[in-house]
Amino acid sequence: MSNDPVKIDGAIARKTSYGMLREPTFSGMLSFMRCPFRKDLTGVELVISGIPLDLAVSYRSGARFGPLAIRQASAEVASLKPYPWGFDPFENLAVIDSGDCFLDVHNPMTIHGAIIDHARHILASGARMLTFGGDHSISYPLLKAHVEKTGAPLSLIHFDAHCDTWPDDSPASLNHGSMFYKAVRDGLIDIRHSVQIGIRTWNDDFMGISILDADQVHRQGTDAVVAEIERIVGVQPAYLTFDIDCLDPAYAPGTGTPVCGGLSTAQVLAIIRGLTAINLIGMDIVEVSPPYDHGQITALAAAHIACDLICLLAKRKADGML
């Protein structure tokens, strides 16, 4: 039996940050899509990390296990070049998995600060972030760190069943339904160039953010949705956040607050693959809750979404747009 380190536990054994590595899907060191697992950010263009938090959920907990589940499901995604891209996204994009952000969950008031510091450290290296949650409250401190880096409010591209702009004026609260209310109030989001896709829960005040609700996606089709996202966001730097409950529960049962009537996995992937004109500077995928999943359906959907987001960045780099 070969002990070639390039074939066994390549996530920690190989020396380069480039290229796909195919190991058996059922074995090997766990990292996202077999990316190198390390803390050194030198020369890295995209850092994948997890934030295993679910203290802010309003219903079903379990999203703290989301980063682990997405990494596990991604082993299957890494077995071939991604479809329909037909290229190895890691060939010219240096990507690592840096593990998870440490959180002192017994001191919840320290959590936002810990996430901000985690993001600051990565962003200071010049790398972009793709972050796995965890519940959706993690997006607020991530946005805060990204806005500190850019020096200006960001466009928000938000896939979700919920708008997450319900009022909550308590500065100390952990709440996965009000973080974008706070982000708008705190000047982190440019509402003129922000859009929410897949919404199917009511709020009396959507705070000026454009809404492409689930019914509109079903009626108009994915090409029209992509065109509308491009029109709204334009060339502005954008942060993309994907709550897995944007998908209908048939496609993502493993989440905390499922809502019927949502998008299919095929619709979501078609929309994301069409966002090649968008200047994505940060991304997260949240609310995967493995205790409520079946056969890794939800985790596998999240892994495919993450893979396509990486392919978007790789294509933009190849086209001289990154």
Side-chain angles (χ1 to χ4, degrees):
M1 180 178 291
S2 170
N3 288 318
D4 183 352
V6 175
K7 296 181 180 178
I8 298 174
D9 288 329
I12 56 173
R14 59 178 168 158
K15 306 302 182 184
T16 179
S17 299
Y18 292 97
M20 294 179 72
L21 183 64
R22 296 177 180 86
E23 298 183 38
T25 58
F26 48 82
S27 67
M29 173 71 183
L30 189 62
S31 67
F32 183 76
M33 287 187 71
R34 309 296 192 186
C35 286
F37 188 97
R38 60 185 173 89
K39 300 295 185 181
D40 181 6
L41 305 181
T42 305
V44 175
E45 295 167 291
L46 179 67
V47 174
I48 297 166
S49 65
I51 302 181
L53 174 72
D54 59 10
L55 297 183
V57 298
S58 54
Y59 182 34
R60 306 191 304 193
S61 62
R64 68 182 62 187
F65 302 108
L68 180 66
I70 296 169
R71 289 185 176 105
Q72 186 175 23
S74 77
E76 189 275 332
V77 181
S79 61
L80 296 169
K81 291 179 180 177
Y83 182 87
W85 305 93
F87 59 73
D88 172 0
F90 307 112
E91 186 174 337
N92 75 331
L93 190 70
V95 183
I96 66 165
D97 186 332
S98 71
D100 289 347
C101 172
F102 174 76
L103 303 172
D104 184 354
V105 295
H106 300 295
N107 290 287
M109 293 305 101
T110 67
I111 286 174
H112 274 190
I115 297 172
I116 292 170
D117 288 344
H118 171 77
R120 283 173 177 158
H121 172 68
I122 293 171
L123 295 173
S125 74
R128 285 172 167 80
M129 296 181 68
L130 171 56
T131 309
F132 300 149
D135 67 54
H136 212 159
S137 70
I138 70 168
S139 293
Y140 177 86
L142 289 171
L143 269 170
K144 192 165 187 177
H146 280 78
V147 170
E148 285 182 4
K149 176 72 174 179
T150 60
L154 294 173
S155 296
L156 183 72
I157 303 175
H158 174 200
F159 291 82
D160 207 321
H162 312 86
C163 62
D164 294 335
T165 52
W166 287 285
D168 178 1
D169 292 309
S170 171
S173 72
L174 291 172
N175 187 328
H176 73 160
S178 299
M179 62 282 171
F180 296 130
Y181 171 84
K182 293 182 177 182
V184 171
R185 294 283 294 266
D186 293 345
L188 304 180
I189 295 173
D190 180 355
I191 60 172
R192 300 167 302 167
H193 297 286
S194 294
V195 58
Q196 297 179 318
I197 304 104
I199 304 300
R200 52 194 187 277
T201 49
W202 187 255
N203 188 350
D204 289 334
D205 183 4
F206 289 101
M207 301 191 76
I209 298 174
S210 297
I211 304 293
L212 304 178
D213 66 18
D215 287 345
Q216 186 171 347
V217 177
H218 296 320
R219 290 195 314 270
Q220 296 185 357
T222 57
D223 289 345
V225 170
V226 170
E228 185 65 1
I229 294 171
E230 290 180 348
R231 185 193 68 79
I232 293 167
V233 176
V235 298
Q236 304 299 317
Y239 188 92
L240 186 149
T241 180
F242 196 103
D243 187 325
I244 205 68
D245 71 25
C246 180
L247 295 170
D248 189 86
Y251 302 94
T255 191
T257 49
V259 181
C260 293
L263 278 57
S264 71
T265 312
Q267 286 174 308
V268 159
L269 294 177
I271 295 169
I272 288 175
R273 290 165 182 167
L275 300 180
T276 53
I278 300 296
N279 179 19
L280 294 177
I281 67 163
M283 305 162 288
D284 66 50
I285 301 172
V286 298
E287 297 285 353
V288 173
S289 185
Y292 295 94
D293 208 1
H294 305 285
Q296 290 187 306
I297 293 172
T298 312
L300 190 59
H304 274 279
I305 291 165
C307 177
D308 275 350
L309 290 172
I310 293 170
C311 287
L312 277 180
L313 294 185
K315 186 178 189 310
R316 285 182 60 83
K317 183 181 180 184
D319 293 342
M321 300 172 67
L322 193 61

